[in-house]
Every structure is written in structure tokens, then in C-alpha cells.
Amino acid sequence: MSGRRDGSLMRSNVHAIRGSRIAIAIGIGILLGCVFAFCYPHGFFASNYVSPIQNRRISKTNLQVGSAACESDEKANMLKLELVSVSDKNAELKKQVRELTEKLRLAEQGKDQAQKQVLVMGNPHKAGPFGTVKSLRTNPTVVADPSVNPRLAKLLEKVAFRKELIVCLANSNVKEMLEVWFNNIKRVGIPNYLVVALDDDVANFCEQNHVPVYKRDPDQNVDEIARTGGNHAVSGLKFRVLREFLQLGYSVLLSDVDIVYLQDPFDHIYRDSDVESMTDGHNNSTAYGFNDVFDEPSMGWARYAHTMRVWVFNSGFFYIRPTIPAIELLDRVADRLAKENAWDQAVFNEELFYPSHPGYEGLHASKRVMDYYNFMNSKTLFKTVRKDDKLRKLKPVIVHVNYHPDKLPRMKAVVDFYVNGNQDALQAFPDGSE
């Protein structure tokens, strides 16, 4: 029994040893195969020979690459053309958007104004006792729109005070008067003023004298007049220039250059009307209105026709608020001056005073006349005030040398009389322009 067991064990050991050798041989073979596969990936007998089938595949691939390169160049060119076309369309769309935005803004302004009128007219009001009823006099201001002129808007933020300022237009033809103008403004201590320079010479002159100045962007319609025009021609430009100030939400005290400032005018303005202007009148009747009787004897019993008259507002010195009627006034005057050979002051007054009638709609703007002793024209000064001992003691807010052509010497004489106290400074001049 023991012998058999020993024999069986020996046979089992022999089989186990054989199995182990075979497993070891297989493992060594696999290991060598991996080594050769790593070292010789293309085999022991690899060559540069390429089969015809492979050659056709390579050629086809090269053709495809070349064709793709050509197609890519054509696509690039097409994309460039499309880009140019899209850019042009984009620019056109932007232009249309700007135009539509402007129309929408104007429509909203009109709608806002209409709504205010509906509120005023639509809601019935009960009239109070006799003598207590007052109508509305002050129109609402427009909504400020900085997009109209961003550069000017930034400048006005620095220069204007309480959303108002003095504005003067000037070219190099009036540089000497301009110097008297801004020197007296500085002397009085008025901080909120601005010169709109109509040429580079005036712009440089203002900068050298530390005077706030604004040089407008080029505009073919006005630049030639601005550089070479006389007083009346340049005066007509202000109605176009002022529009942007009002659209930006600022009230403007428009000033010609032939004005001497003796006090701060903003302390003497009411601000209750669309337009508040000095007068060309020289007494109560001519300044504030009077009943003028026209006599026509042939009418017999009805020979006397009563008329109401007032001397004109002066278009060289007026305070204008940023309201719809005020902007409409500027537009009307500028439009007529572009079409007619007319004096801007005459057109200014016609648009302010002509009533509505068949074929014409009058301007619905409120207006106020300034005190003619405070805001004095040169006729009042040289014909009346300088000859009256009591009136000579008055100190006007401004003196406008509008009635006389020898403007500069009279401006200097006004300064000498009111500022330096020279009581004889005005005596050498005639009443008029003799």
C-alpha cells in the first residue's frame, strides 16, 4: 500500500514539474514577443515598398488636401466680402437707429407736452373769487438730452451754475469789444459765462485770458458767416447755436459783445416766462406798451382807430428757458433767416408777437420785458439818464451799446463813468450817431 502511494506521488510530481516548465516557456515566449514587437514595430523585413493600392490612397489624400486648401482660400475671400457687406449694412442700420431714436425722442416730447396740456385743459377748475384767478404762465422745461452734444454737455456741467449761464458768440472782428465784455464780467464776479468762439483766433484769445470758451464742431452752413460776417450776420447764427444749450436743459442769457456788465444779471431775472428780454424802448410807454391812436379824418365819426404798440424786444440780450415754445421760437427764426434776407431782430419779434390768424399759427410763448433802467440800452443812457441828476445816480445791471455805431469808445466811457467814477466820461458823445 505504501509502495503504491509513493509511486503515485512520484508521478504527480513529474507531471507538476512538466506543467511548470511549459508555463515558464510560454511566459518567456510572450515576453520575447512583446520585446520584439516594441523594438521592431514594422517587423524584421520592413521595407520602403508601398503597394499600388496604398499609393492610390496617398495620391487621393494629397489631392483632397490641395482641393481643401483652394476651397479654404475661396471661402476666406467670400467671408471677407460678406464681412464688408455686413459692416456696410450695420453702419446703415446704426444710422437708421439714430434717426428713429431722434424721431422717437421728439415724439415723446410732443406727447409729454400734449399730456400736460390735457391735464391743464382737461381737468375743469372752479374759478375763485374776483381778483384771485391766475392763469398758468410758466411752461415746463424739456427733458435734458446729453446725446445732442456730449462734448458741450460736459463743458456746461463745469461752467454753468444752477443750470443757467451767459453765452456770447464772437469772431476775431470784435476781439477788442470782447475783451471789455469779459473783463467786466470778471470784475463783477459772475462765474457762469461762456464764449462761443466762431474762429480759432478768438478761441486762442479766450484761452490766453482764462475765459471759458467753446469751439463749435465744423459746420459748412455757418462757418463762412462765422469767420467773415458782420454784426448782423453773426447775430443771426445765435438762434441755431442756442438750440443745443436748451436741448441740454440749460437756460441761457444770450449776450451780444457790445454790453458792459455792472452787476450780476441773474440777481434781477424773474424766470417766469419762456423769453425774458431787454427792450429797445426808452421810457414806460415805449418799453411796456401804449395805446396809439391812428387818425383817419375821411372816416368821420370813426376817424380815430386805437392801436396797441410796444417797442421791440432786443435780440442781443434776452434770457431764454429750455421749454418747447422757446425751442420752437429758435427754430422759426433760424428757418426764416435761412430763407429770407431779413434782420434777425425783426424776425425775432414777429415770431414772438404775431397772433394766430388764417393761414398762420402764432407762437404760444410767454414773454416778459426787463426793467429798462436796470437793463439799459444806449439811447436811454445818452439821451436821458446822463442829463438827469437823479437818474445819473442809478447803477444799471448792464448797458447795451446797441443804438450807436462807435461801440468800443462808448463801452469804455460807460466803464469810466460807472466803475471809475469819472462824472464827465459820457459828456463828449452826442445823443445819437451824429
Side-chain angles (χ1 to χ4, degrees), residues 131-180:
T132 64
V133 177
K134 297 291 182 182
S135 63
L136 296 176
R137 288 174 172 81
T138 306
N139 284 307
T141 58
V142 299
V143 177
D145 184 7
S147 67
V148 169
N149 189 332
R151 184 166 67 90
L152 179 59
K154 289 182 180 179
L155 176 61
L156 294 181
E157 288 178 1
K158 299 177 183 177
V159 175
F161 176 64
R162 293 187 303 187
K163 300 291 284 186
E164 59 186 8
L165 74 162
I166 300 170
V167 175
C168 173
L169 278 69
N171 61 16
S172 55
N173 294 335
V174 296
K175 194 157 62 173
E176 287 184 291
M177 285 193 290
L178 178 64
E179 187 172 17
V180 177

Side-chain angles (χ1 to χ4, degrees), residues 115-403:
Q115 287 175 342
K116 287 183 172 67
Q117 290 178 353
V118 168
L119 288 174
V120 172
M121 299 172 63
N123 296 330
H125 297 272
K126 183 177 180 180
F130 180 82
T132 64
V133 177
K134 297 291 182 182
S135 63
L136 296 176
R137 288 174 172 81
T138 306
N139 284 307
T141 58
V142 299
V143 177
D145 184 7
S147 67
V148 169
N149 189 332
R151 184 166 67 90
L152 179 59
K154 289 182 180 179
L155 176 61
L156 294 181
E157 288 178 1
K158 299 177 183 177
V159 175
F161 176 64
R162 293 187 303 187
K163 300 291 284 186
E164 59 186 8
L165 74 162
I166 300 170
V167 175
C168 173
L169 278 69
N171 61 16
S172 55
N173 294 335
V174 296
K175 194 157 62 173
E176 287 184 291
M177 285 193 290
L178 178 64
E179 187 172 17
V180 177
W181 182 87
F182 64 64
N183 281 340
N184 281 278
I185 284 180
K186 290 180 178 181
R187 180 186 53 76
V188 173
I190 303 168
N192 46 330
Y193 69 102
L194 179 69
V195 175
V196 177
L198 300 177
D199 56 45
D200 292 332
D201 189 22
V202 166
N204 295 332
F205 180 65
C206 289
E207 290 173 357
Q208 291 167 5
N209 288 275
H210 308 289
V211 172
V213 63
Y214 168 65
K215 181 69 168 63
R216 298 176 56 258
D217 292 331
D219 187 337
Q220 282 186 337
N221 295 324
V222 300
D223 285 348
E224 185 62 26
I225 298 174
R227 286 192 300 269
T228 62
N231 286 342
H232 283 181
V234 171
S235 184
L237 296 177
K238 61 195 171 199
F239 298 97
R240 299 182 62 171
V241 174
L242 287 183
R243 194 186 203 278
E244 290 184 340
F245 287 80
L246 268 59
Q247 285 182 277
L248 294 172
Y250 291 85
S251 296
V252 173
L253 181 57
L254 187 280
S255 172
D256 277 356
V257 74
D258 56 345
I259 292 176
V260 177
Y261 287 79
L262 302 169
Q263 299 183 58
D264 190 337
F266 294 110
D267 294 337
H268 301 269
I269 290 175
Y270 286 80
R271 302 175 179 85
D272 64 347
S273 304
D274 296 307
V275 179
E276 190 171 343
S277 176
M278 74 171 292
T279 176
D280 272 4
H282 57 95
N283 54 32
N284 285 346
S285 296
T286 56
Y288 308 139
F290 62 100
N291 180 18
D292 186 32
V293 179
F294 177 77
D295 184 10
E296 191 176 6
S298 64
M299 288 298 294
W301 176 80
R303 66 181 289 181
Y304 300 110
H306 290 258
T307 67
M308 290 303 300
R309 295 187 62 187
V310 60
W311 284 29
V312 295
F313 283 9
N314 190 286
S315 65
F317 190 87
F318 60 87
Y319 181 83
I320 186 165
R321 296 176 58 246
T323 66
I324 292 296
I327 294 174
E328 185 182 359
L329 170 65
L330 297 180
D331 289 350
R332 287 187 178 207
V333 176
D335 181 61
R336 283 188 56 187
L337 291 176
K339 298 174 181 176
E340 305 172 16
N341 183 20
W343 182 25
D344 69 280
Q345 181 161 290
V347 176
F348 176 67
N349 280 271
E350 289 169 0
E351 293 300 332
L352 268 176
F353 286 97
Y354 277 173
S356 298
H357 55 263
Y360 177 80
E361 184 179 351
L363 181 72
H364 303 288
S366 57
K367 43 197 172 288
R368 169 182 281 275
V369 182
M370 293 176 174
D371 185 322
Y372 68 93
Y373 279 135
N374 277 335
F375 300 91
M376 191 181 297
N377 59 57
S378 57
K379 179 176 182 177
T380 304
L381 175 62
F382 285 97
K383 187 176 179 180
T384 305
V385 171
R386 67 170 176 168
K387 300 175 183 179
D388 188 299
D389 290 338
K390 291 183 178 179
L391 294 177
R392 284 166 63 92
K393 296 176 182 178
L394 296 175
K395 187 177 183 180
V397 178
I398 62 108
V399 173
H400 189 180
V401 187
N402 60 316
Y403 270 99

Side-chain angles (χ1 to χ4, degrees), residues 180 184 187 260-262 381-382 392 395 399 408-429:
V180 177
N184 281 278
R187 180 186 53 76
V260 177
Y261 287 79
L262 302 169
L381 175 62
F382 285 97
R392 284 166 63 92
K395 187 177 183 180
V399 173
L408 183 59
R410 290 191 187 240
M411 289 177 71
K412 291 180 178 179
V414 169
V415 175
D416 199 17
F417 179 78
Y418 284 108
V419 177
N420 301 329
N422 181 2
Q423 296 300 301
D424 298 324
L426 304 176
Q427 300 308 315
F429 298 93

